[in-house]
Amino acid sequence: MDAPVPELEARADACADALRDADSVLLASHIDADGLTSAGIASTALERAGITHDVVFSKQLDDEEIAGIAAHDHDTVLFTDFGSGQLDSIAEHEERGDFTPVIADHHQPAEADTQFHLNPLLEGVDGGKELSGAGASYVLARALLSDEATDLAALAVVGAVGDMQTVNGELVGANVAIAEEGVAAGVLDTAKDLALYGTQTRPLPKLLEYASEVYVPGITNDQNGAMRFLDGLDVDLHDGGDWRTWASLDHDERQTVVSALVKRAVRNGVSGDKVTDLVGTTYTLLEEEAGTELRDASEFSTLLNATARYERGDVGLAVCLGERGEPLDSARELLRTHRRNLSEGLSWVKDEGVTVEDDLQWFHAEDRIRETIVGIVAGMALGAEDVESDRPIVGFGEKNDEEVKVSARGTPALVNRGLDLSVVMREASQSVGGDGGGHTVAAGATVPKGEERAFLDAAADEIAAQIE
Ligand code: C5P
Ligand code: C5P
Ligand code: ZN
């Protein structure tokens, strides 16, 4: 079989050889949805290749974390979904002979480089849109196992969706090649369908009421309105005593609802762009039970985030490795908390309001929003109907007594005009004694407490210089 991403084949082969040569491997991965799926793919691949390994997770790969990793008793460390941005520090350990690094990442690389480095950005493939950490791990898995890895494409798609790599509702570039391998392997199905969150698990009225992606007046955030809308359609809403879900509707029933929804949106003045957003490509994991979070890539990735952002990467990894029962129950419990926290966080931002300045808008949540989800809330706020999306949003949350976490989110339109938040976050944070990085459209940083105003000024200057 041909390599799924030919540009990366040589790097992937070199990384695979380094792993085969290792006595034992420490797999270190980022703790978020993409990092967990990366670890799920890499761990399964190492296992199938007969390579002994342990797995650890980290929220932020700083010097201290890397030193901790170096203290482990493994000759080789495989970094997934991070590592490229920390190569300056990693390379120092390599020189000292602490370990041989192998990296499968998609973040902006630092100055230093290393021999076994798999990153789309090094070969002109867009690491923000075309390949996630899970995708890079999948490319590595394919180099290690050839055809014996294609079932892992489903997890790679979950990672890409979790990292919000979809463009106008669908995966693009290298991600498509990976999804196609999943379809060929029989583990994935792709279809044009309603692009709202919760098609597998939400009762129909809730699916429409809670849809934050597109605001349809009289339906979104309106329990009675959503119910009346559905009642007026020629679709059976119940299955025995239970509400039906979107996934249980047949093709004609879906058509009926989608066209009525589009009509209603247009009639109520929803913009053409937003109406188009109602439909997108959905990615269905065929080996997972229908009606569960795991069946849909978007719901699966949210379930994983619900474990990762609460320091329960062990639970998320177990689910990625195919364990059901106890870990899945825990993940679902965490998901309930996560949902509540997101909704409370978003309400807080809307109530307290966002401070709008010339080049950016910002809010400071102090300890009211967990620093691990302040970025997700910032992203949701930018998409909310009462917050303008014409400039980037910056959210602050308390990290500890000395430090503040910063998350910044932009839009594809702003990126097209020159915005690169990874540079904004890195430069502005470093100017006040912190550090940061990420992607053009989504990035983060840690800054010393009390430096928020100076940080915002530096960020605003950088944004003004970037955007045409
Ligand atoms: O570190 P990593 O690349 O895995 O994280 C990417 C982060 O960027 C995710 O938290 C994702 O939600 C966020 N993102 C976003 N909007 C985008 C693209 C990514 O909020 N359009
Ligand atoms: O934490 P948040 O969701 O805002 O992160 C957005 C993106 O920025 C992620 O890809 C994350 O890995 C990156 N980031 C970073 N350095 C930081 C904080 C976040 O590279 N200090
Ligand atoms: Zn990632």
Side-chain angles (χ1 to χ4, degrees), residues 115-380:
Q115 195 182 353
F116 309 115
H117 188 190
L118 174 60
N119 184 318
L121 296 166
L122 299 170
E123 300 296 344
V125 175
D126 187 336
K129 293 202 271 278
E130 291 192 56
L131 199 73
S132 67
S137 303
Y138 177 77
V139 169
L140 177 57
R142 285 276 277 105
L144 264 177
L145 301 170
S146 188
D147 299 1
E148 303 297 308
T150 53
D151 58 320
L152 300 171
L155 273 184
V157 165
V158 173
V161 169
D163 248 16
M164 303 183 70
Q165 295 207 321
T166 48
V167 178
N168 297 326
E170 61 183 9
L171 294 175
V172 298
N175 279 323
V176 175
I178 294 176
E180 281 170 356
E181 293 203 346
V183 172
V187 294
L188 198 68
D189 186 35
T190 70
K192 279 265 173 252
D193 201 352
L194 184 71
L196 300 182
Y197 175 83
T199 49
Q200 290 291 332
T201 60
R202 282 188 172 162
L204 277 172
K206 293 291 170 207
L207 177 75
L208 299 182
E209 178 192 340
Y210 292 160
S212 57
E213 297 89 341
V214 181
Y215 182 79
V216 184
I219 294 180
T220 314
N221 297 335
D222 185 340
Q223 190 179 354
N224 291 328
M227 205 83 91
R228 271 197 307 277
F229 167 77
L230 285 167
D231 269 336
L233 305 175
D234 185 24
V235 173
D236 212 349
L237 299 176
H238 294 276
D239 176 11
D242 294 332
W243 285 104
R244 293 177 68 192
T245 58
W246 184 263
S248 77
L249 302 185
D250 66 25
H251 179 263
D252 289 350
E253 290 171 320
R254 290 185 194 191
Q255 275 308 107
T256 305
V257 182
V258 170
S259 47
L261 195 59
V262 167
K263 233 184 253 163
R264 169 71 78 90
V266 171
R267 187 148 43 88
N268 284 322
V270 176
S271 74
D273 277 3
K274 280 284 174 190
V275 172
T276 322
D277 287 350
L278 282 168
V279 174
T281 300
T282 55
Y283 301 89
T284 306
L285 281 76
L286 297 175
E287 307 230 292
E288 304 297 342
E289 197 182 324
T292 67
E293 297 85 356
L294 308 178
R295 182 87 172 176
D296 172 75
S298 165
E299 291 200 59
F300 195 155
S301 73
T302 302
L303 185 77
L304 292 178
N305 261 323
T307 68
R309 312 276 170 162
Y310 303 84
E311 274 140 62
R312 292 308 308 272
D314 55 323
V315 171
L317 178 63
V319 172
C320 286
L321 293 175
E323 282 181 49
R324 300 294 176 252
E326 220 276 303
L328 184 53
D329 292 342
S330 307
R332 286 181 172 143
E333 187 59 40
L334 288 160
L335 180 59
R336 278 188 278 278
T337 311
H338 182 52
R339 285 236 181 86
R340 193 171 57 236
N341 289 346
L342 290 182
S343 132
E344 286 173 7
L346 187 59
S347 302
W348 184 86
V349 172
K350 286 180 174 174
D351 291 348
E352 297 294 310
V354 182
T355 305
V356 182
E357 300 182 357
D358 286 344
D359 302 300
L360 54 77
Q361 47 191 336
W362 62 274
F363 64 87
H364 201 318
E366 316 278 352
D367 62 354
R368 291 181 196 85
I369 301 175
R370 244 181 114 85
E371 52 104 356
T372 53
I373 63 165
V374 78
I376 302 181
V377 174
M380 289 167 79

